[in-house]
Amino acid sequence: GAVVSQHPSWVICKSGTSVKIECRSLDFQATTMFWYRQFPKQSLMLMATSNEGSKATYEQGVEKDKFLINHASLTLSTLTVTSAHPEDSSFYICSARRASGNPEQYFGPGTRLTVT
Amino acid sequence: QKEVEQDPGPLSVPEGAIVSLNCTYSNSAFQYFMWYRQYSRKGPELLMYTYSSGNKEDGRFTAQVDKSSKYISLFIRDSQPSDSATYLCAMRTGNQFYFGTGTSLTVIP
């Protein structure tokens, strides 16, 4: 299998605080992990691509100082939403690609962030 | 023009019907074609993965790729209420992935 977990699955935070979301590949090593944002009834919007041991590559329009991504190991990447605002409320989904074998993306279950 | 075009639906069919979901694309460099299923408030789940033109079958699901027409399809036979979800097509060239907007499917018992 290719299982990806995310934690937490749901978080509510106050405006101005920071929230960290973890993405783990449970049964495979992932050299590359992706972070997406999804609004209701809309498709996935790629925010950034992170490679283990190097800086993340952010998509145009995504603030790297606001969405901090760390990919410290082959099984863990984290997304920290800093100084969250209500407009950051969204569904955040990570995905991971295997270090070898099938090159496709395997998605986590998503994290629903609500900023009040 | 978007790289990948997908009709968002919604599509509603009776149980047992054959469902056809489609995407078109413009980039002839796409080599890998995927279909993902996403239930409400969940992450997408990889359903089918094909490389190059042709058909690939897995149970009730058949993925079809026509590179000459830049057109891919996912067929679901004997559709079940549990198939109700959003289906996203995705394509890849090198390390670049492109997703369709997803088609919302409801199978009515």
Side-chain angles (χ1 to χ4, degrees):
Chain A
V3 181
V4 177
S5 71
Q6 273 183 251
H7 178 80
S9 56
W10 182 42
V11 57
I12 300 174
C13 71
K14 291 187 177 178
S15 204
T17 62
S18 295
V19 174
K20 181 186 280 190
I21 302 170
E22 290 187 351
C23 177
R24 292 182 186 271
S25 56
L26 298 185
D27 54 359
F28 66 100
Q29 292 186 325
T31 47
T32 305
M33 288 186 171
F34 303 87
W35 287 95
Y36 293 86
R37 188 172 178 176
Q38 189 176 39
F39 292 103
K41 299 188 184 296
Q42 294 189 28
S43 189
L44 303 166
M45 184 189 81
L46 179 64
M47 298 175 67
T49 301
S50 76
N51 292 295
E52 185 264 338
S54 61
K55 288 184 178 180
T57 302
Y58 290 81
E59 295 299 301
Q60 193 173 10
V62 178
E63 299 176 60
K64 61 176 124 180
D65 294 331
K66 180 167 184 64
F67 297 101
L68 301 178
I69 290 171
N70 183 281
H71 192 161
S73 76
L74 285 172
T75 60
L76 173 65
S77 176
T78 60
L79 167 68
T80 301
V81 183
T82 63
S83 188
H85 289 127
E87 56 265 32
D88 297 326
S89 299
S90 190
F91 194 50
Y92 292 87
I93 308 175
C94 73
S95 70
R97 285 180 65 186
R98 290 179 184 274
S100 61
N102 187 330
E104 298 321 313
Q105 293 187 48
Y106 296 92
F107 286 86
T111 296
R112 184 158 301 281
L113 170 63
T114 301
V115 184
T116 61
Chain B
Q1 184 184 9
K2 286 183 182 177
E3 297 273 4
V4 180
E5 299 274 3
Q6 183 176 11
D7 185 343
L11 183 61
S12 186
V13 301
E15 184 175 354
I18 296 175
V19 176
S20 172
L21 304 166
N22 311 295
C23 287
T24 58
Y25 62 95
S26 56
N27 189 343
S28 57
F30 288 140
Q31 300 168 299
Y32 299 90
F33 305 89
M34 289 74 69
W35 285 96
Y36 290 85
R37 176 175 62 195
Q38 185 177 21
Y39 292 112
S40 182
R41 297 173 181 260
K42 300 288 185 185
E45 168 196 10
L46 181 64
L47 269 182
M48 303 281 288
Y49 155 71
T50 56
Y51 171 71
S52 77
S53 286
N55 292 356
K56 184 175 183 178
E57 193 172 313
D58 184 1
R60 295 185 295 110
F61 298 89
T62 300
Q64 192 173 76
V65 174
D66 182 347
K67 294 183 84 174
S68 61
S69 302
K70 298 191 178 66
Y71 189 89
I72 70 169
S73 300
L74 177 70
F75 298 98
I76 307 174
R77 290 185 300 280
D78 186 25
S79 56
Q80 303 295 310
S82 58
D83 295 328
S84 299
T86 296
Y87 290 81
L88 297 125
C89 64
M91 304 175 192
R92 180 171 75 86
T93 177
N95 292 323
Q96 295 293 318
F97 285 79
Y98 297 86
F99 288 87
T101 51
T103 300
S104 174
L105 170 68
T106 301
V107 180
I108 302 167

